[in-house]
Amino acid sequence: MKIVCSKEQLMEGINVVQKAVPTKATLTILEGILLEAYDNFKMTGNDLELGIECLIDADILEKGSIVLNSKMFGDIVRRLPDSEVLIEVKENNTVIIECDNSHFELRGMPSDSFPSLPSIEKENMIKVSQKAIRDMIRQTLFAVSMEGTRPILTGSLIECAGNEITFVSIDGFRMALRKNFNNEGFSEFSVVVPAKTLSEIGKILQPVDEDIYIYSSQNQILFEIGNCKVVSRLLEGEYLNYKSIIPPEYETSVRLRTEDLLSSLERASLITSDEKKYPVKFNIIDDKIIITSNTEIGAVREEIRVEVNGSNMEVGFNPRYFIEALRVIDDELVDIYFNSSVGPCTIRPLEGDSFAYMILPVRINK
């Protein structure tokens, strides 16, 4: 194999495929990046659960393939001059990397033992803009469960039906839901994608209107993003029926400026070292919410003017759950629906159902 490629293009490709390379693996080959130069030049990373393939513009002088240690290869290319890079495979899997006056020799690994990415039958397909999927990941992924006791909740549900695509994340204490609408319509399917996969895809996607293509087949999902392909296993099992856990009724609703509540909660949480032990208390009375918290460090009181519909109420929450939801809401105003001091509250847009954030309250000491 012998190719010539710009350092910039090479580094961009390495940065993308490295997201699927484990730092420590039981198989040494998995700590490497597969370089293949045949009809085109492409690089692949694969940890057996997540695989990323990236096409790179290069002049192919001799066809072939090799596997290079990801960290070493990336560190070398990162420090090369901003010029053309020559990569050539010699005898005994020795790889020459040259750029201007820099010359490296690395010991590569044969490519035949590198695991191939799963083949995905392109049956169920949806097409949506990169920006839309990027936003939906950012607006829901934070609510994925970090605990392995319920594996299905360590991923996000992606559901397509009609002209709606829905992302849902639940960790047992809160739920984040986002919808996007498409006039062309979507193939109908429902899958649960691991949080790690969506996190890495979110880093690859750009806030542009260019389309991303998503295909699901049995226990795998494929994302085609420009010159990159991301293949991931799906989580198996039945996801929670999120529609049934959203309260259909409420006792009190509040309309307020998103930024007002976010700023108040961020200030209130400054004295809260343990949110579970020291929740914030919402006292909804007349036309305001009084937010208070008492901890071993001190006490805080915040007051926000709001529009209230319903009865007065006192309820406690983990402030972090509210803060993380409010930070990803772009709407200037939101409605918050409260059930009782022990029932979940739901944050919604003033009109429509493009998002819903549900948070369970916590017990507060009177």
Side-chain angles (χ1 to χ4, degrees):
M1 186 187 90
K2 186 176 182 180
I3 65 105
V4 175
C5 177
S6 74
K7 179 220 172 162
E8 181 183 7
Q9 293 273 345
L10 200 57
M11 200 66 245
E12 284 182 8
I14 291 171
N15 286 338
V16 170
V17 300
Q18 272 186 338
K19 300 180 191 307
V21 178
T23 52
K24 287 187 178 181
T26 51
L27 299 173
T28 305
I29 194 81
L30 296 180
E31 296 176 17
I33 292 175
L34 171 64
L35 283 68
E36 296 177 287
Y38 293 103
D39 296 333
N40 46 44
F41 178 54
K42 66 182 178 183
M43 294 192 291
T44 306
N46 187 359
D47 69 2
L48 301 183
E49 293 190 355
L50 172 67
I52 302 178
E53 176 186 289
C54 191
L55 295 177
I56 296 142
D57 289 333
D59 293 327
I60 299 173
L61 307 179
E62 292 178 11
K63 295 182 178 181
S65 59
I66 195 72
V67 177
L68 291 176
N69 178 273
S70 172
K71 185 179 187 308
M72 183 61 67
F73 183 41
D75 288 346
I76 288 172
V77 173
R78 191 172 288 108
R79 288 167 174 78
L80 289 175
D82 293 328
S83 187
E84 296 289 297
V85 180
L86 168 73
I87 301 175
E88 183 176 6
V89 180
K90 297 288 192 178
E91 294 181 357
N92 300 320
N93 298 316
T94 298
V95 180
I96 307 297
I97 301 175
E98 290 184 345
C99 182
D100 288 350
N101 296 322
S102 298
H103 177 97
F104 286 89
E105 292 187 14
L106 287 181
R107 180 57 60 105
M109 293 172 278
S111 61
D112 52 9
S113 57
F114 193 87
S116 301
L117 295 186
S119 178
I120 306 291
E121 292 185 15
K122 297 183 177 181
E123 299 170 351
N124 299 319
M125 185 273 283
I126 63 171
K127 180 180 74 170
V128 66
S129 75
Q130 289 196 36
K131 183 181 185 305
I133 294 296
R134 187 174 185 258
D135 286 344
M136 293 178 82
I137 292 173
R138 175 180 62 88
Q139 293 162 341
T140 56
L141 195 62
F142 64 88
V144 165
S145 175
M146 296 292 108
E147 299 178 4
T149 52
R150 303 176 75 181
I152 195 71
L153 297 185
T154 61
S156 292
L157 174 70
I158 301 179
E159 198 171 62
C160 296
N163 66 341
E164 288 184 2
I165 178 171
T166 305
F167 277 47
V168 182
S169 297
I170 300 172
D171 68 2
F173 302 98
R174 56 182 167 168
M175 180 194 75
L177 179 152
R178 278 280 172 167
K179 287 185 180 180
N180 194 278
F181 304 91
N182 186 326
N183 292 330
E184 297 180 22
F186 296 109
S187 299
E188 287 198 18
F189 67 84
S190 177
V191 295
V192 182
V193 184
K196 178 190 174 185
T197 298
L198 292 175
S199 176
E200 300 303 347
I201 288 172
K203 297 171 188 173
I204 297 171
L205 294 170
Q206 300 298 315
V208 294
D209 292 329
E210 293 176 17
D211 288 328
I212 171 177
Y213 295 84
I214 305 174
Y215 306 88
S216 75
S217 176
Q218 294 181 338
N219 64 340
Q220 300 284 340
I221 191 164
L222 166 65
F223 298 82
E224 288 187 349
I225 310 164
N227 63 341
C228 294
K229 289 182 180 179
V230 181
V231 180
S232 170
R233 70 174 181 89
L234 295 169
L235 295 179
E236 297 181 6
E238 188 173 346
Y239 202 78
L240 287 177
N241 182 358
Y242 67 90
K243 294 177 183 177
S244 69
I245 64 177
I246 300 175
E249 299 176 348
Y250 63 92
E251 186 177 328
T252 302
S253 70
V254 171
R255 179 166 294 183
L256 48 72
R257 290 184 68 250
T258 309
E259 185 59 36
D260 287 349
L261 182 56
L262 175 59
S263 298
S264 292
L265 286 171
E266 286 177 334
R267 288 191 293 268
S269 66
L270 292 175
I271 66 164
T272 304
S273 56
D274 184 345
E275 300 97 333
K276 293 180 181 178
K277 187 176 180 182
Y278 299 112
V280 293
K281 183 167 66 175
F282 286 21
N283 192 355
I284 305 168
I285 182 168
D286 298 331
D287 58 352
K288 60 191 174 187
I289 296 180
I290 300 171
I291 299 171
T292 57
S293 182
N294 291 282
T295 75
E296 294 174 344
I297 300 172
V300 62
R301 184 182 187 278
E302 292 274 339
E303 188 174 306
I304 308 171
R305 291 288 171 178
V306 299
E307 294 180 31
V308 178
N309 178 21
S311 56
N312 295 341
M313 185 179 298
E314 190 175 84
V315 56
F317 292 100
N318 179 330
R320 179 168 60 87
Y321 292 166
F322 252 100
I323 289 170
E324 289 179 345
L326 293 168
R327 280 177 178 167
V328 299
I329 295 175
D330 299 325
D331 295 30
E332 182 181 359
L333 299 171
V334 292
D335 286 332
I336 306 180
Y337 299 90
F338 297 89
N339 272 287
S340 66
S341 61
V342 294
C345 81
T346 310
I347 308 172
R348 290 183 172 277
L350 304 195
E351 296 180 357
D353 59 351
S354 59
F355 65 81
Y357 294 94
M358 192 179 73
I359 303 169
L360 292 179
V362 297
R363 189 179 300 278
I364 51 176
N365 295 323
K366 296 291 185 179

